Amino acid sequence: MDSFVWVTFEKEGMHCYPAAADDPKLATGDEYDVSFLAHPHRHIFKFRVDIEVFTDDRDIEFIQFKRWLMSLYDGEFSVDYKSCEMLSDELHTAIHERYPGRRMAISVSEDGENGARILYSADDIYPTGIPT
């Protein structure tokens, strides 16, 4: 049986995608134009972390896990100027160091509206793919 616990938390941050100013795929000049993303703007980044557990009796106590994750953003990590995928990979690296050998899925969204979900294998710190 596959068993996972999950936690959610959020963090306010500034976002900016400089390439949006002049990349013709982004600065299209029509209804698909997103050149405004080149300017700093605020988001509430919402995180969901699913992590594999091996017993049914608090192998990872999720309140403690959530508090530890949130504490990373009180000093060590920042959400500013990173993509959702970058935030996920950075967070996964820290979790993998503390809880090695576990599969994970990490979702990061901008304001709970758009985002990324990345699946990580137990042995590798690199993404294994995004589900369809």
Side-chain angles (χ1 to χ4, degrees), residues 7-61:
V7 299
T8 63
F9 64 97
E10 52 188 53
K11 182 72 179 166
E12 179 181 11
M14 294 301 292
H15 204 212
C16 182
Y17 186 24
D22 45 30
D23 183 331
K25 293 181 297 196
L26 304 168
T28 60
D30 58 15
E31 69 268 23
Y32 301 107
D33 188 289
V34 291
S35 59
F36 60 87
L37 296 175
H39 303 284
H41 53 282
R42 174 190 174 273
H43 284 294
I44 299 295
F45 290 94
K46 297 181 182 261
F47 294 80
R48 177 178 167 144
V49 177
D50 296 61
I51 185 167
E52 184 176 27
V53 293
F54 304 122
T55 72
D56 64 358
D57 192 17
R58 296 169 185 89
D59 179 29
I60 295 176
E61 203 300 311

Side-chain angles (χ1 to χ4, degrees), residues 81-122:
Y81 304 106
K82 296 175 186 163
S83 69
C84 293
E85 297 88 343
M86 290 174 185
L87 292 169
S88 179
D89 287 345
E90 178 180 63
L91 187 56
H92 175 264
T93 299
I95 298 168
H96 182 75
E97 288 174 7
R98 187 170 180 141
Y99 298 98
R102 295 171 190 264
R103 294 177 293 158
M104 283 177 246
I106 300 176
S107 300
V108 182
S109 74
E110 297 172 349
D111 310 309
E113 187 176 336
N114 305 299
R117 180 170 187 248
I118 303 177
L119 305 177
Y120 299 91
S121 70

